[in-house]
Amino acid sequence: MDARNIERLNAECCTSLIKCSSIRQMDSLVYLNFRECKSLKSIPQGISLKSLKSLILSGCSKLRTFPIISENIESLYLDGTGIRRVPESVDSLQYLAVLNLKKCCSLTHLPSNLCKLKSLRELILSGCSNLECFPDIDEDMEYLEILLMDETAIKQIPRSMSMSNLKLFTFGGSKFRIQQVWKLYLTDCNIHKFPNNFSCLSSVHSLCLSRNDLEYLPESIKKLHHLKSLDLKHCRKLNSLPMLPSNLQYLDAHDCASLETVAKPMTHLVVAERVQSTFIFTDCFKLNQETQENIVAHAQLKSQILANACLKRNNKVQSQGLIYEPLVSVSFPGNDLPLWFRHQRMGSSIETHLPPHWCDNKFMGLSLCVVVSFKDCEDQSNRFSVICKCKFKSESGDCIRFICTLGGWTEPCGSCGHQSRKIVSDHVFLSYNNSFHVKKCREESNEHNRCCNTAASFKFFVSDDNKRKLGSCEVVKCGMSLLYAPDEIDYRLQETLENNLNEVISIKEANQHENGSGEAVLPKRRHSFLKDEEITNGKRIKEVNN
């Protein structure tokens, strides 16, 4: 067989093959695999494989050095080898897209000209336990998307890190400057303190800090205007949370055993349409009653703002079929429902009659709440949800059925990994769900039916990611209340316009700079949540009775 016509060569423990003269003449060879060749100690000098694009030396634990045998290589797998340094001549690999050095425990040196690898997309250094320094990146590595540096000994902060397209980044320390990152995973990195200046992370969308020793987060975290997901699971020393960014959609603080207080308000509240938000505080047993009320108050006010914005563009929402469900959801330890829920029952279902005119022009949706008893439940799924099957039936026989989600959690993918949650106590799940589809169906019926009494029923249950009911969890209490738009004279909205002008301007400028939009910011509330709700519900009850 003509060696020049060979395009693929797979060899196992073939030390003699790489030394023979035939391999030196395989100019057409594009793929060379020496995976797990434990006896391979070196690659002889002088080998030139001009067409080689993929070289796999994974697991060749006795290999200490490697020469550049082809300048056309696109993928170079050196993971698990015994190499001590990456040579400076690596800059000749202008087509190299993947450089895998995972678990090269003897590696102590990276070349200073690493930034010359202009085609590099993935650089994997995870588990290089003796690698202490990362070189300065003075030239933009514009194609680099994945940089994994967890479980290394790197402690020095490079003077410059120019990586304008970085998408996925992991690191085994707490101080590292990057310029453009969408997802930042710092799980189980023994972080005790996070840098005060978050400006270097202004572009991050997803931040995972789970299983670290943080006691607090710096106030500057509220400046991360693009942050949508914050994972703080198992940060058991974290005792407080500062104000969080306005665009935050998902906060998971499960098993933050020392967490006692959260900022008031918990996030910047903006008078504009935003997508739904989920705030998870499961197994946060040190949250006091006032903090829990502040969390619920924040969720209630944010949901009113969101629903009110949707209400003003109701026709557009209906025509596009967009239904936000839920607007906001929260969960925390406890076995009591908030007192302001008008309809409460023991068990997992509610049946009640609603008075005439309940579905007026200010009706926005439902407030739903349950207490779930966890019988030594260890969740192994990627998704846990509390579900409500809702049914509205009028005297004329018209029936509306739909399903609401009260909340739960979705485990993120990527470097955060998935650690099962073991919950042994009762927890409260509360949500605010808009129900414009209910209002639309009522309006499509005749005028008489809109004034008739309505029988409503609500059945609650919990399910996993396969939509199966979980027998280890049980809904033991449930509650429902109708959600209405705030009055135009609501003092909380007036404060937004009158007392927060400076902050409104600053947020508007920041948003215009970063995403081209500007919104107004809601201030802290002056009164307690329960008092506001009692007044609001009292007014609503009086209007209905009249």
Side-chain angles (χ1 to χ4, degrees), residues 296-536:
V296 174
H298 177 85
Q300 186 262 353
L301 183 52
K302 183 169 186 177
S303 66
Q304 281 190 317
I305 294 169
L306 297 175
N308 195 42
C310 293
L311 188 64
K312 292 181 178 179
R313 61 181 194 90
N314 194 13
N315 292 331
K316 182 178 179 182
V317 171
Q318 291 175 354
S319 64
Q320 294 181 347
L322 298 177
I323 299 173
Y324 295 92
E325 190 178 18
L327 294 168
V328 185
S329 65
V330 297
S331 55
F332 49 83
N335 53 20
D336 288 320
L337 305 180
L339 297 176
W340 50 267
F341 272 91
R342 292 200 57 211
H343 305 278
Q344 297 191 22
R345 299 288 188 276
M346 299 296 294
S348 61
S349 63
I350 298 174
E351 293 186 2
T352 187
H353 281 83
L354 304 178
H357 303 288
W358 65 269
C359 190
D360 62 15
N361 61 351
K362 285 188 174 292
F363 172 74
M364 295 188 299
L366 306 170
S367 303
L368 301 172
C369 188
V370 297
V371 173
V372 176
S373 176
F374 291 85
K375 301 174 182 178
D376 198 22
C377 171
E378 185 168 357
D379 174 45
Q380 299 287 351
S381 66
N382 289 323
R383 183 176 179 85
F384 173 92
S385 299
V386 181
I387 307 296
C388 178
K389 291 184 176 180
C390 308
K391 179 180 177 180
F392 290 79
K393 186 176 182 180
S394 66
E395 291 179 343
S396 64
D398 294 332
C399 189
I400 305 170
R401 291 183 175 90
F402 58 96
I403 294 178
C404 285
T405 301
L406 278 71
W409 47 80
T410 301
E411 298 297 345
C413 298
S415 297
C416 274
H418 169 47
Q419 179 177 333
S420 61
R421 305 177 193 233
K422 188 170 183 179
I423 303 177
V424 297
S425 65
D426 293 352
H427 276 70
V428 175
F429 291 81
L430 185 149
S431 72
Y432 298 91
N433 306 67
N434 75 21
S435 301
F436 289 130
H437 51 302
V438 175
K439 188 172 183 177
K440 182 180 180 181
C441 291
R442 296 276 296 181
E443 291 174 349
E444 289 176 350
S445 62
N446 59 51
E447 287 292 323
H448 178 70
N449 283 340
R450 289 203 302 168
C451 298
C452 290
N453 289 331
T454 301
S457 65
F458 307 87
K459 295 182 179 180
F460 301 87
F461 62 94
V462 295
S463 70
D464 60 11
D465 51 348
N466 293 317
K467 307 299 182 184
R468 296 173 301 192
K469 292 185 179 180
L470 295 176
S472 58
C473 309
E474 180 184 3
V475 176
V476 295
K477 294 180 184 178
C478 55
M480 185 279 295
S481 192
L482 302 177
L483 180 64
Y484 293 91
D487 295 330
E488 293 181 359
I489 59 173
D490 191 297
Y491 74 86
R492 290 168 292 182
L493 298 181
Q494 289 299 317
E495 283 182 344
T496 301
L497 301 177
E498 296 173 3
N499 299 337
N500 250 334
L501 184 58
N502 292 334
E503 193 165 15
V504 167
I505 293 173
S506 64
I507 294 297
K508 181 178 180 180
E509 290 176 348
N511 284 337
Q512 285 176 339
H513 176 70
E514 295 175 9
N515 55 28
S517 63
E519 291 96 9
V521 179
L522 277 178
K524 296 181 180 179
R525 304 175 67 187
R526 291 182 302 206
H527 304 296
S528 71
F529 170 69
L530 290 178
K531 183 177 180 181
D532 289 341
E533 283 300 322
E534 289 167 0
I535 293 173
T536 302

Side-chain angles (χ1 to χ4, degrees), residues 255-288:
D255 193 32
C256 290
S258 301
L259 186 63
E260 296 182 6
T261 61
V262 299
K264 182 181 178 182
M266 190 161 52
T267 69
H268 277 303
L269 289 170
V270 293
V271 183
E273 177 196 350
R274 294 289 182 193
V275 295
Q276 67 184 58
S277 298
T278 299
F279 303 105
I280 301 170
F281 294 95
T282 49
D283 276 6
C284 296
F285 295 107
K286 284 196 174 182
L287 290 176
N288 56 43

Side-chain angles (χ1 to χ4, degrees), residues 149-284:
M149 299 170 57
D150 49 296
E151 299 182 20
T152 68
I154 298 174
K155 298 178 181 179
Q156 306 247 344
I157 304 174
R159 290 183 298 104
S160 61
M161 291 292 294
S162 183
M163 301 171 183
S164 59
N165 199 35
L166 198 62
K167 301 294 193 304
L168 177 60
F169 174 79
T170 63
F171 182 58
S174 60
K175 294 182 179 180
F176 197 81
R177 178 168 180 161
I178 48 182
Q179 293 182 345
Q180 292 288 332
V181 176
W182 291 359
K183 298 179 181 180
L184 182 59
Y185 298 110
L186 300 173
T187 303
D188 200 10
C189 292
N190 196 31
I191 300 175
H192 295 269
K193 183 179 180 181
F194 214 79
N196 289 325
N197 185 8
F198 267 96
S199 61
C200 60
L201 301 177
S202 60
S203 63
V204 71
H205 287 63
S206 179
L207 178 59
C208 181
L209 299 173
S210 63
R211 298 195 293 276
N212 281 297
D213 295 327
L214 291 163
E215 294 184 4
Y216 66 92
L217 294 176
E219 297 288 337
S220 59
I221 193 173
K222 66 182 179 182
K223 297 180 180 180
L224 301 185
H225 301 300
H226 294 291
L227 187 64
K228 296 181 179 179
S229 175
L230 178 58
D231 189 342
L232 299 170
K233 294 194 303 290
H234 309 293
C235 291
R236 298 182 60 84
K237 294 183 179 180
L238 186 69
N239 55 54
S240 64
L241 283 179
M243 183 181 292
L244 300 173
S246 60
N247 287 339
L248 191 67
Q249 299 172 18
Y250 191 84
L251 170 66
D252 195 343
H254 171 71
D255 193 32
C256 290
S258 301
L259 186 63
E260 296 182 6
T261 61
V262 299
K264 182 181 178 182
M266 190 161 52
T267 69
H268 277 303
L269 289 170
V270 293
V271 183
E273 177 196 350
R274 294 289 182 193
V275 295
Q276 67 184 58
S277 298
T278 299
F279 303 105
I280 301 170
F281 294 95
T282 49
D283 276 6
C284 296

